[in-house]
Amino acid sequence: MAAAHQSGAPSLSARDLVAGYLPGIEILHGVSVDVLPYEVRAVLGPNGTGKSTLLKVLYGFLKPGAGEIKSGSRVLTGAAPHEMGGYGIVYLPQRPSVFPFLSVEVNLRLGAWRLRSRHGLVREKIERAFAQFPALYEKRHQSAGTLSGGQQRQLEFARSLLLDPNVYLIDEPTASIEPRIATQIYELIQGLAQQGKAILLVDQNIKGALGIADYVYVMRTGSLYTEGKRAEFGEDVELLVSQWLYTHHAPKPS
Ligand SMILES: Nc1ncnc2c1ncn2[C@@H]1O[C@H](COP(=O)(O)OP(=O)(O)OP(=O)(O)O)[C@@H](O)[C@H]1O
Ligand SMILES: [Mg+2]
C-alpha cells in the first residue's frame, strides 16, 4: 500500500452521479468517489452492479443525468473521452484496447500521438517504455494481437505511460489472466501509485485488488454500499467484502 504519502486533494472527484444507457433505466443511482494521488482506490461489487458504468461516466463515454465530475477546480462533467488525455486521465477498459493488427511498436507510438511533432521526446519515451517492459521490446515487430493477455495489458500500461497521466481508471486488469502475470500487473499498478498516480481500480478479483488497495468502495446495484480505508476494515476484510457482495443480510460496518 502507498498510504505513507497521503496528499490531501483528490485528482478526480465525482459527486452524486446518476447515469444509465437507456431512457428511464437508471444504472447509477447517485455515486460519489474521490481518486487521490499515491492511492489505489478499489471499486468492488458483483456482476452487473455498475462498476464499469461508473468508469465510463468518469471518462466521458456516458454523460451523467445528474451529478458532477471535477479535477481540482475544473469541472469535467460532460467532457468527451478524447479530451481526457489533456486532463491527465487515462482509462484502461475491461477488454484489452490494443490494436491487434498493428505491431507492438506502432501501438506504443499511437500512445504518443499527442506528442507526435516532438520526435526526439517520443523516441526517448518509447525507449524508456521498452526498458521497463523488455518482453515488449523482444516482440516489438509482432502484431499486438499475437501477444498473451498479460502482455497486451503490459502494452496498454506502457502506452499510457507515454503521456505521463495523473489519474488511471482501470477496469478488471487481470480478468482471464494467469495468476503469476496477474500478480505482476498488481505490482505494476501499485508502483504507479507509489510514483504519485491516482488510481481507481474496478475489480472482481477481491483478493488481488485488496492486496494493493488503500481505500475500498463496495458497490451494490448501482449505489455505494459502504466505503472506507482498507486498513480500517481490519484483517478480515476479504471475508467481509465477500459477505457484503454476495449476501443480503451481511452486517454493514458502523
Ligand atoms: N451498453 C449498454 N447498454 C445498455 N445497458 C448496459 C450497457 N452496458 C451495461 N449495461 C447494463 O448496465 C448494468 C451495469 O453494467 P456494468 O457493465 O456497469 O456492470 P459491472 O459492475 O461492470 O459488471 P461486471 O462485473 O460483470 O463487469 C447492467 O445491468 C448491464 O446490463
Ligand atoms: Mg464491468
Side-chain angles (χ1 to χ4, degrees):
M1 276 185 285
H5 312 256
Q6 296 300 338
S7 76
S11 301
L12 186 69
S13 67
R15 287 289 159 271
D16 306 317
L17 293 177
V18 173
Y21 297 90
L22 302 168
I25 304 182
E26 199 176 285
I27 303 290
L28 299 183
H29 309 298
V31 175
S32 299
V33 291
D34 289 317
V35 199
L36 276 80
Y38 293 102
E39 279 195 11
V40 176
R41 292 194 159 210
V43 180
L44 306 173
N47 280 326
T49 206
K51 305 181 300 296
S52 296
T53 303
L54 172 63
L55 293 194
K56 287 183 215 164
V57 174
L58 291 174
Y59 199 69
F61 284 117
L62 202 54
K63 205 171 170 180
E68 187 176 60
I69 303 165
K70 285 175 94 173
S71 170
S73 57
R74 194 193 315 252
V75 176
L76 300 188
T77 327
H82 69 266
E83 297 175 90
M84 293 297 173
Y87 300 129
I89 301 169
V90 294
Y91 167 59
L92 304 187
Q94 195 162 345
R95 292 190 179 186
S97 60
V98 298
F99 295 100
F101 300 114
L102 299 180
S103 73
V104 167
E105 185 163 348
V106 171
N107 265 277
L108 264 186
R109 282 191 184 284
L110 287 173
W113 178 249
R114 285 160 44 79
L115 308 172
R116 62 193 177 282
S117 59
R118 301 167 68 186
H119 301 287
L121 180 66
V122 171
R123 196 176 323 116
E124 191 186 305
K125 280 175 171 267
I126 288 180
E127 277 170 16
R128 218 180 302 150
F130 277 140
Q132 189 177 347
F133 298 98
L136 296 181
Y137 180 74
E138 296 296 316
K139 301 192 171 175
R140 64 194 180 283
H141 301 307
Q142 272 180 232
S143 334
T146 65
L147 299 179
S148 67
Q151 284 173 341
Q152 290 190 27
R153 282 291 184 212
Q154 284 186 337
L155 179 54
E156 289 180 293
F157 279 102
R159 188 180 62 190
S160 72
L161 287 170
L162 300 185
L163 291 180
D164 198 22
N166 305 320
V167 178
Y168 275 80
L169 306 173
I170 306 176
D171 201 347
E172 307 265 4
T174 63
S176 329
I177 285 180
E178 62 167 293
R180 188 175 56 85
I181 307 294
T183 303
Q184 289 175 9
I185 289 173
Y186 286 119
E187 284 169 4
L188 181 59
I189 295 171
Q190 189 170 36
L192 291 171
Q194 283 162 352
Q195 289 164 33
K197 311 291 184 194
I199 294 172
L200 192 65
L201 168 66
V202 159
D203 219 329
Q204 290 244 20
N205 181 343
I206 297 174
K207 191 179 171 68
L210 288 175
I212 60 166
D214 298 286
Y215 195 95
V216 182
Y217 293 104
V218 179
M219 265 182 90
R220 275 172 66 158
T221 54
S223 300
L224 288 182
Y225 181 68
T226 187
E227 66 180 279
K229 286 185 185 166
R230 158 78 175 75
E232 286 172 4
F233 287 139
E235 291 301 312
D236 294 332
V237 62
E238 208 179 309
L239 181 65
L240 273 176
V241 169
S242 306
Q243 284 175 352
W244 293 328
L245 296 193
Y246 300 113
T247 59
H248 288 283
H249 304 292
K252 272 195 197 188
S254 49

